[in-house]
């Protein structure tokens, strides 16, 4: 008896796809604004209720990293630059609630975060610059000069 590969007919799997989309939407709606330890784990994001979105682009002479950190002041952000990675730490603090106010919705996220971003090329960390303006942190990371191999001459005995 020969095995025959099953190929679904057009539309047979549509109820399954529809159900999956509905379940995905349900979970996204339910967890919106909650801590999501699984989010961003590929970039080394620590478990946090808030984590900034990051863009990294390359020019001929530098890497430019931007992170969305709305509501943060420069005192709330710490940046550590290594030759092969950038670590951004910060804390978004919750404002005090007034007892007279009642919220119908509260989707604001608060808490500390850490993002470790691996860099595709070595950078000169001592020449890096950071700027925070309008809720966007911009890091300008000059590329490191390629190291020149140093030749050593030895005497042959």
């Amino acid at each position: 008896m020969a095995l025959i590969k099953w190929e679904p007919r057009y539309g047979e799997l549509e109820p399954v796809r529809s159900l999956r989309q509905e379940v995905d939407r349900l979970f996204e709606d339910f967890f919106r604004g909650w801590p999501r330890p699984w989010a961003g784990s590929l970039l080394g994001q620590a478990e946090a209720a808030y984590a900034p979105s990051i863009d990294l682009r390359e020019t001929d002479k530098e890497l430019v990293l931007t992170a969305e950190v709305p509501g943060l002041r420069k005192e709330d952000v710490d940046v550590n630059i290594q030759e092969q990675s950038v670590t951004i730490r910060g804390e978004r603090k919750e404002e005090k609630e007034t007892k007279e106010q009642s919220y119908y919705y509260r989707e604001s996220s608060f808490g500390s975060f850490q993002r470790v971003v691996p860099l595709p090329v070595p950078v000169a960390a001592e020449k890096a610059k950071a700027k925070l303006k309008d809720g966007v942190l911009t890091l300008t990371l000059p590329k490191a000069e390629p190291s020149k191999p140093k030749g050593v001459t030895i005497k042959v005995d």
Side-chain angles (χ1 to χ4, degrees), residues 3-152:
L3 292 176
I4 300 172
K5 182 179 176 186
W6 176 71
E7 302 256 346
R9 286 181 249 147
Y10 179 77
E12 270 186 341
L13 294 179
E14 191 54 38
V16 175
R17 282 191 194 107
S18 179
L19 177 63
R20 173 155 184 187
Q21 289 171 345
E22 188 63 24
V23 170
D24 287 347
R25 187 194 60 75
L26 179 70
F27 272 92
E28 284 300 316
D29 288 348
F30 181 78
F31 286 111
R32 185 172 287 129
W34 286 39
R36 298 179 304 156
W38 62 86
S41 60
L42 292 177
L43 290 179
Q45 172 185 334
E47 184 171 325
Y50 163 72
S53 297
I54 291 179
D55 294 330
L56 179 63
R57 63 184 173 88
E58 182 177 9
T59 67
D60 291 339
K61 297 182 180 184
E62 61 195 14
L63 297 176
V64 179
L65 186 145
T66 56
E68 296 175 3
V69 290
L72 265 63
R73 301 168 304 173
K74 62 183 179 181
E75 299 84 25
D76 299 329
V77 180
D78 179 41
V79 178
N80 184 317
I81 302 168
Q82 302 292 322
E83 189 176 281
Q84 294 284 341
S85 68
V86 172
T87 302
I88 302 172
R89 290 183 190 90
E91 184 173 3
R92 181 182 266 181
K93 297 178 179 142
E94 184 174 10
E95 296 175 15
K96 288 187 174 183
E97 274 190 51
T98 307
K99 293 292 181 188
E100 297 87 38
Q101 292 179 336
S102 297
Y103 288 94
Y104 285 102
Y105 295 101
R106 184 146 190 200
E107 295 181 351
S108 303
S109 298
F110 301 97
S112 58
F113 66 88
Q114 175 178 311
R115 295 288 307 259
V116 178
V117 182
L119 301 175
V121 296
V123 296
E126 66 281 352
K127 296 179 183 176
K129 295 181 182 174
K131 179 177 159 184
L132 181 61
K133 183 178 179 186
D134 297 330
V136 177
L137 174 67
T138 303
L139 302 177
T140 305
L141 309 162
K143 292 180 183 178
E145 295 292 325
S147 60
K148 297 175 182 167
K150 297 178 182 178
V152 177

Side-chain angles (χ1 to χ4, degrees), residues 149-157:
K150 297 178 182 178
V152 177
T153 304
I154 59 169
K155 184 178 177 184
V156 179
D157 291 332

